[in-house]
Amino acid sequence: SDSMFTYDLTGNMTSAFAVPGVTAIRSLTWDGTSIYAGGNTAQIFKIDPATKTLTSTISVPSVPNIRYCTYDATANSGAGGFWVGTWTTDFTLVSMTGAVLNTAAAANHGLTATYGLAYDNASPGGPFFWAFHQTAASNAADIIQVDATTGFQTGVFHDVTSDIGTVGDLAGGLFFQASPLTLYGILQGTPNYLLSYDVQLVGINENAKDPSFVSAFPNPVTDMVNVGVKRTNNDVMNMQIFNNNGKIVFESSNVGVSNMINMSKYPTGVYTIKVTHNGQVYTKQIVRK
């Protein structure tokens, strides 16, 4: 139908409305300003969430049936783009104007019924895709992780149906939040469910050797934060800071024991510091107030 809804974080519906010119929506994503929707056509609808009006449409002739649509802030050298497709297709990356930039081949990911897709550029070891997939063998909705670099499944797999639904319920849309690492989605059934999962990656030895390897003071921070790292040698080390949308706002390979970083130029919110060193990934969350 043409109905769209908003909910608060306790599950109470706060509004129901229609956006003229937009109907039959299968997926929603956003870039921090506008909402974008896939409606099983060769178009992405751009919606103003403040006025609840259709701003424009993005034509994607290479993908005639866009069911899932997930924003990638890192695409096109930071200009942004969308991973789009439907059930059995390649995951196709298009620019903000609809031009094809890249693909993750269906022959690699092997998924045959992807209903929802979320791009994850914040989890250690990533970037990843999270696919909400309808697995025929068990008639169940499963969340499956795919390596965004190779296009192959990683082996991280979770059965959503066994958690909250019944056999025959359908996978739906999926959304990733970078900080804290969380997946949100919709399980289609009777009743429908809005769901969320904390993301704890299997096989990633994050912070295992030393949980205090990365420190931050003060936290919360208003302007300058001192990121401390237990560096004991001159081996290559990389530091990244991600905002809540998974976009890298700071990156440096010049990492010392004490690193002063100016956070005053960034919006308030939760940020994740990620330090990669000798095959280990260490993370620390900070709050910019």
Side-chain angles (χ1 to χ4, degrees):
S1 72
D2 63 354
S3 298
M4 301 179 75
F5 305 89
T6 59
Y7 288 82
D8 65 22
L9 293 182
T10 59
N12 299 306
M13 188 174 71
T14 55
S15 69
F17 57 93
V19 176
V22 180
T23 190
I25 293 306
R26 266 65 169 193
S27 58
L28 295 172
T29 190
W30 82 313
D31 63 357
T33 303
S34 298
I35 293 173
Y36 300 85
N40 203 32
T41 69
Q43 291 181 322
I44 299 171
F45 300 97
K46 183 178 180 181
I47 300 167
D48 185 328
T51 61
K52 298 181 174 62
T53 56
L54 178 63
T55 304
S56 63
T57 58
I58 301 169
S59 178
V60 188
S62 59
V63 185
N65 303 102
I66 298 173
R67 296 184 73 92
Y68 53 78
C69 178
T70 179
Y71 180 68
D72 177 357
T74 69
N76 204 15
S77 301
F82 307 96
W83 291 94
V84 295
T86 190
W87 295 315
T88 62
T89 66
D90 299 342
F91 301 161
T92 301
L93 177 64
V94 300
S95 70
M96 302 299 287
T97 59
V100 174
L101 301 173
N102 198 2
T103 59
N108 291 349
H109 65 63
L111 300 176
T112 57
T114 301
Y115 281 64
L117 192 72
Y119 183 76
D120 167 8
N121 191 45
S123 292
F128 299 110
F129 299 109
W130 295 95
F132 208 177
H133 182 262
Q134 198 68 23
T135 302
S138 58
N139 198 17
D142 301 306
I143 293 175
I144 300 171
Q145 188 190 68
V146 175
D147 189 308
T149 302
T150 66
F152 288 94
Q153 294 182 38
T154 66
V156 177
F157 178 100
H158 190 81
D159 180 355
V160 176
T161 300
S162 66
D163 284 342
I164 60 174
T166 59
V167 173
D169 286 353
L170 297 176
L174 201 63
F175 171 74
F176 177 80
Q177 175 179 288
S179 183
L181 300 175
T182 312
L183 280 170
Y184 298 90
I186 296 176
L187 184 68
Q188 304 180 72
T190 306
N192 298 305
Y193 288 100
L194 291 170
L195 56 92
S196 66
Y197 285 98
D198 291 331
V199 176
Q200 297 180 355
L201 298 183
V202 176
I204 301 297
N205 200 20
E206 180 187 357
N207 294 3
K209 289 187 176 180
D210 187 353
S212 63
F213 188 85
V214 180
S215 61
F217 181 82
N219 188 15
V221 57
T222 54
D223 41 42
M224 301 299 294
V225 61
N226 186 352
V227 179
V229 179
K230 290 186 177 180
R231 173 185 274 283
T232 59
N233 54 43
N234 292 322
D235 292 347
V236 175
M237 184 179 290
N238 180 257
M239 179 187 295
Q240 297 171 312
I241 299 180
F242 297 84
N243 66 13
N244 199 43
N245 292 324
K247 184 176 182 179
I248 298 172
V249 298
F250 174 88
E251 184 168 15
S252 177
S253 295
N254 184 22
V255 182
V257 174
S258 179
N259 307 271
M260 297 299 297
I261 300 172
N262 186 1
M263 297 294 295
S264 64
K265 56 187 175 182
Y266 304 128
T268 58
V270 180
Y271 292 79
T272 299
I273 302 169
K274 174 183 173 183
V275 175
T276 306
H277 176 58
N278 286 340
Q280 288 288 123
V281 174
Y282 304 89
T283 61
K284 179 72 175 179
Q285 288 186 352
I286 58 174
V287 175
R288 160 78 169 94
K289 66 179 182 179

